[in-house]
Each structure stands twice: as structure tokens, then as C-alpha cells.
Amino acid sequence: MLLEGSNASTVLTWVRPDLDKHLGQVRAQIEHLAQSPIVGDGVENTAAHLEQLKYTFEALVLQGATLVVEEMITVCDALRSKSVRDRRQAFGALMDAIVVLPSYLDRLQAGHHDLPVLLLPVINELRSAYNANIVSEATLFTPDLEVPLPELDRGTGEHEPGFDESVPALALRMRRQWENALLKWLRAQDNLQLLTPLGSACETLQQRLERKDLRRLWWIASKVIGGLLDGVTDNDMHLRRLFARLHLVIKTLSEGGEAATDVQSVDALSQALLFHVAQAKTGSEQVDGLRERFHLQDLVPDRDVLIRARGAVTGRN
């Protein structure tokens, strides 16, 4: 992530005058459009300025600012196509966003991490303006999965004993084990020992599969189950749905092998599991180690910290 350290903050300082110029132009255009009875070509000019801002934020790897500007562009497109039900709400959302962005840049320039979750209220206000579903904190949680994981490294040609069994045959066995264990646990969730076969399946798949993204997924899943056994990971509906998605991955492996699984889907599932790790209590060696390895404490701050940080990016007076 670019804004980690004083050098990155310096880069933002260098381009900040141009950014403020563009932000000021967009704000003036939004104010003019909001007072005009006809949207006309003005909204296209606003969208064009927002596109320039988007490219700049992308080049600076400012995910939070990029997400906000993308939603603003979508609102402009909806205004242009007259698909917005409440024009006043749409312009209000655009105005709020263009006021918040400079405050968010101030925070980044001061050396803080880029935390898109701080901008969640603004993003959802923009999405509401064109009648889109709101997004959750988990949606904006995108930890870097490409961190060093020596536990998953293998030498060239290195195999574990028993690798003569094909992946579909292995996955079929693990699928049956997963189905039986998950069903028993869902019926008696207080009996945490019923999770043991699930953890065993995760460890087997992690050791036996070749693709790194798949081994990483099952390694993370085993740690999440360890967190449940240690009493630090919350057993909620979302996590149970993730266990069902893990079952679908095993099903795909049993039917088509590793080549049948989609890398993006596997990584998205790994990130979703890590979101539960980030929110877990401390006190579990497995979970605490995973949190530190993926730097999750920088992506999901403490609730009190989150409230204070959001207060700092509500916009300049």
C-alpha cells in the first residue's frame, strides 16, 4: 500500500495542489448542477473531471478515494440517463462525498493508513442515490494475500506421502467428511469438538493440493476453526455460510480437480475468512499469529479508533 511511511505522504503532498484544484472544480460544478433545473451536458463535464481524479487516485493506490470517486461517477451516469428517482438526494450525496474527500486526503497526508472502511457511510449514501444495495465492512476488507508464508512453501518436486491419490478422489473423501462433520456441528453448535473433523480436512487439503492459493485457503480455514475451538472467533451466520462455501470448493475439486477452481473466488473466500480473524478476540496463538502475518490490525481498527477516525473525515467546516 502506497501510503505507508513518510515518503508516500510526501508524494501525496507533491500532487495535493492539483488534486485540490480538481476537487474544487468538481464541487463548483455539483453546486451549479444542483441549482439548475436541467442537468444537460454539465453532468458529463463533472463525470470527466471525476474520471481524471479516479486515474490519479488509482496511480497513488488510494483505494478508499478511488471507491468514492467510482460511486460518484455512477451517480453522474444515473443522473444523465434520468434513472435517479430523487434528484435532490443524488446531488446531496455527491456534495457530501466531495466535501469528505479532502478531509480523507488530509488524514492520509498525515501518515495514516488508507482505510476504505472509514468512507463506508459516504459510499453507501452514493449507492442509495441510484438505488443500489449497500455494502458491508467485509466488502471493503481486502488484505494483501501475497505475504510470505513459509508454512506453505515446497521445494521443487517435493511431495507429501500418499500423493499418488488423485485430487478428485482425495476431494471426494474430504467432501464426505466435511458434509458429515458440518451437519453434526450445525445441529449441536455448543459441542466444539465436532469441529475437529473439519480442521482435519483443512489440514489434509492444505498438505495435498499443489496450487498455492488453494493451500493458503485451507491453511487459513484451519486457523479460523482453531479460533472457534479457542473461543475467540465469533460463530455467526456469516461464518457458517463461509463453511458452506468451503464445501462448494471441495465439491468443485472432487468433480474437476484443481483446474476447475477459480483463483479469484478462492482468494475472495480467503479474504472473507480473514475478516473474521481480524474481528476475533485476542488470546489464541493461531488467530493472533494469522492477524499479525496478514497485518489485519491495520485494516480493521478497534471500534473506538474507528469512530474517532470517521469523525475526522466527516468533512471540513
Side-chain angles (χ1 to χ4, degrees):
M1 195 176 297
L2 183 64
L3 288 180
E4 290 182 356
S6 58
N7 290 338
S9 300
T10 302
V11 172
L12 182 56
T13 301
W14 291 339
V15 301
R16 189 62 191 273
D18 287 336
L19 287 175
D20 286 341
K21 178 181 177 181
H22 282 295
L23 288 167
Q25 289 174 332
V26 172
R27 178 171 180 168
Q29 289 172 343
I30 293 172
E31 290 175 343
H32 175 73
L33 288 170
Q35 297 171 1
S36 174
I38 301 176
V39 173
D41 296 335
V43 72
E44 294 187 16
N45 295 330
T46 302
H49 275 99
L50 288 170
E51 286 284 354
Q52 294 178 23
L53 283 171
K54 175 188 171 184
Y55 296 144
T56 303
F57 291 146
E58 287 178 338
L60 294 172
V61 200
L62 304 183
Q63 184 188 13
T66 301
L67 289 171
V68 170
V69 172
E70 286 176 345
E71 294 295 343
M72 294 178 72
I73 293 171
T74 304
V75 172
C76 287
D77 291 340
L79 284 166
R80 184 167 46 190
S81 62
K82 298 182 180 179
S83 58
V84 170
R85 289 185 296 184
D86 189 335
R87 187 168 174 263
R88 182 176 179 180
Q89 178 189 0
F91 281 115
L94 288 172
M95 200 64 204
D96 286 345
I98 204 64
V99 168
V100 164
L101 276 174
S103 297
Y104 189 69
L105 294 178
D106 288 343
R107 186 177 186 277
L108 297 178
Q109 202 168 334
H112 294 284
H113 289 283
D114 183 13
L115 291 178
V117 70
L118 298 180
L119 297 168
L120 187 61
V122 175
I123 291 172
N124 279 332
E125 185 183 5
L126 290 164
R127 292 179 64 83
S128 176
Y130 62 93
N131 201 31
N133 294 329
I134 64 172
V135 295
S136 65
E137 291 182 355
T139 307
L140 302 181
F141 181 76
T142 55
D144 182 11
L145 297 177
E146 298 301 325
V147 298
L149 298 174
E151 298 89 340
L152 304 184
D153 290 340
R154 288 187 189 145
T156 304
E158 183 181 344
H159 293 281
E160 296 289 340
F163 264 48
D164 291 339
E165 184 181 24
S166 69
V167 168
L170 164 70
L172 183 58
R173 286 197 299 110
M174 294 299 101
R175 178 182 173 185
R176 291 168 181 163
Q177 179 175 325
W178 189 273
E179 287 174 346
N180 292 333
L182 184 59
L183 183 59
K184 290 179 181 178
W185 177 64
L186 290 176
R187 288 174 175 171
Q189 295 176 35
D190 291 336
N191 188 353
L192 296 180
Q193 293 308 311
L194 295 175
L195 291 167
T196 302
L198 296 177
S200 176
C202 292
E203 292 174 2
T204 300
L205 289 165
Q206 178 230 314
Q207 294 169 2
R208 298 284 299 274
L209 296 175
E210 292 291 334
R211 265 175 43 189
K212 182 180 178 181
D213 62 306
L214 286 167
R215 298 203 310 275
R216 180 174 57 210
L217 169 64
W218 295 109
W219 182 71
I220 292 172
S222 69
K223 304 296 184 185
V224 171
I225 292 172
L228 284 170
L229 290 169
D230 292 338
V232 299
T233 304
D234 289 336
N235 171 22
D236 56 23
M237 179 63 73
H238 183 249
L239 183 59
R240 293 192 290 274
R241 287 175 178 170
L242 293 181
F243 281 6
R245 287 174 60 186
L246 287 169
H247 171 255
L248 292 178
V249 175
I250 304 177
K251 181 176 181 290
T252 302
L253 288 168
S254 69
E255 294 173 348
E258 294 187 47
T261 59
D262 178 66
V263 175
Q264 287 186 330
S265 298
V266 169
D267 286 349
L269 187 47
S270 293
Q271 291 179 333
L273 288 168
L274 287 175
F275 183 71
H276 285 270
V277 173
Q279 294 190 315
K281 306 178 187 71
T282 58
S284 168
E285 183 177 350
Q286 296 188 69
V287 170
D288 292 344
L290 208 58
R291 184 187 289 114
E292 183 177 352
R293 189 71 64 86
F294 288 95
H295 310 290
L296 303 182
Q297 65 277 3
D298 297 332
L299 301 178
V300 180
D302 177 84
R303 284 288 161 189
D304 292 337
V305 175
L306 184 62
I307 291 172
R308 289 196 299 271
R310 276 187 174 159
V313 294
T314 53
R316 293 171 176 167
N317 190 328

